[in-house]
């Protein structure tokens, strides 16, 4: 919450709670968590999975509005897009 409030108004707190996906050690940790939870990477042939670029995937997801994240200190806080 404190990380979010550094960038946004306190009146948006309800939106924060609805959109908050979690705290992660890094942005790529989130990507691996998300793909595991949703099963999205399962459709890719196992021999090709090692070529998956988590940083590029997250960059594209942020650019298209699917996710947003904040890095505060050594933590990454992820939210659904807005």
């Amino acid at each position: 919450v404190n990380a979010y409030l550094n960038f946004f108004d306190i009146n948006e707190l309800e939106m924060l709670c609805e959109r908050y996906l979690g705290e992660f050690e890094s942005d790529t940790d989130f990507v691996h968590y998300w793909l595991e939870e949703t099963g999205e990477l399962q459709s890719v042939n196992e021999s090709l999975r090692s070529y998956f670029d988590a940083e590029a995937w997250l960059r594209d997801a942020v650019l298209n509005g699917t996710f947003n994240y904040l890095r505060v200190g050594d933590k990454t806080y992820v939210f659904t897009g807005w």
Side-chain angles (χ1 to χ4, degrees), residues 30-42 57 67:
F30 163 71
V31 172
H32 293 292
Y33 161 81
W34 183 258
L35 294 176
E36 184 70 31
E37 285 295 308
T38 61
E40 285 189 37
L41 203 54
Q42 298 304 317
W57 184 90
F67 300 108

Side-chain angles (χ1 to χ4, degrees), residues 15-16 18-21 34 65-68 78-82:
M15 182 180 71
L16 162 71
E18 293 171 2
R19 296 173 184 247
Y20 181 68
L21 295 174
W34 183 258
T66 304
F67 300 108
N68 286 296
V78 182
F79 306 87
T80 58
W82 47 73

Side-chain angles (χ1 to χ4, degrees), residues 5-20:
L5 293 177
N6 285 331
F7 296 93
F8 301 97
D9 190 284
I10 195 164
N11 295 327
E12 297 175 314
L13 188 57
E14 184 176 321
M15 182 180 71
L16 162 71
C17 294
E18 293 171 2
R19 296 173 184 247
Y20 181 68

Side-chain angles (χ1 to χ4, degrees), residues 12-81:
E12 297 175 314
L13 188 57
E14 184 176 321
M15 182 180 71
L16 162 71
C17 294
E18 293 171 2
R19 296 173 184 247
Y20 181 68
L21 295 174
E23 173 185 313
F24 300 88
E25 295 297 317
S26 70
D27 49 352
T28 55
D29 282 349
F30 163 71
V31 172
H32 293 292
Y33 161 81
W34 183 258
L35 294 176
E36 184 70 31
E37 285 295 308
T38 61
E40 285 189 37
L41 203 54
Q42 298 304 317
S43 63
V44 176
N45 186 306
E46 192 169 336
S47 65
L48 299 175
R49 289 183 197 164
S50 63
Y51 296 101
F52 178 75
D53 186 341
E55 290 178 4
W57 184 90
L58 182 59
R59 182 184 61 245
D60 290 349
V62 169
L63 288 173
N64 73 29
T66 304
F67 300 108
N68 286 296
Y69 64 95
L70 302 170
R71 287 192 192 115
V72 178
D74 61 348
K75 299 292 181 186
T76 298
Y77 301 90
V78 182
F79 306 87
T80 58

